[in-house]
Amino acid sequence: MLAKEMALGPLGTSVFGSIKGYPVRLDFAINPANDLRALLLFDLRTKELLAERLMSPTFDEAIEAYPWTATIAALVLT
């Protein structure tokens, strides 16, 4: 999936690429107020977030808890 990575300052990173041929942006962010991590997937065609923001203590947990099946289905149906 990785095509390009861009820092979002000291608290995050965006990764641009594609899933099943659809252009996406995946953001990894840290909330400094509570030190929780979030994973956000955007459809670059519509500029819309594909799932609710999930906060977890680690990025591994955020990735594990992310609703991948529903998110990818929404990406394909858009």
Side-chain angles (χ1 to χ4, degrees):
M1 176 190 138
L2 179 62
K4 182 176 94 172
E5 181 180 347
M6 181 176 75
L8 295 173
L11 300 174
T13 298
S14 283
V15 178
F16 296 84
S18 64
I19 295 176
K20 293 193 173 210
Y22 298 98
V24 296
R25 184 184 90 216
L26 185 60
D27 290 353
F28 295 88
I30 300 171
N31 182 339
N34 56 16
D35 199 35
L36 292 177
R37 275 68 174 152
L39 180 68
L40 304 134
L41 184 65
F42 293 88
D43 182 338
L44 290 180
R45 298 167 302 160
T46 63
K47 309 286 191 257
E48 293 197 11
L49 180 64
L50 292 171
E52 293 296 319
R53 181 181 191 134
L54 301 174
M55 302 297 285
S56 299
T58 68
F59 283 122
D60 286 341
E61 290 174 299
I63 291 167
E64 180 80 24
Y66 202 76
W68 291 106
T69 302
T71 303
I72 292 172
L75 179 67
V76 172
L77 293 173
T78 303

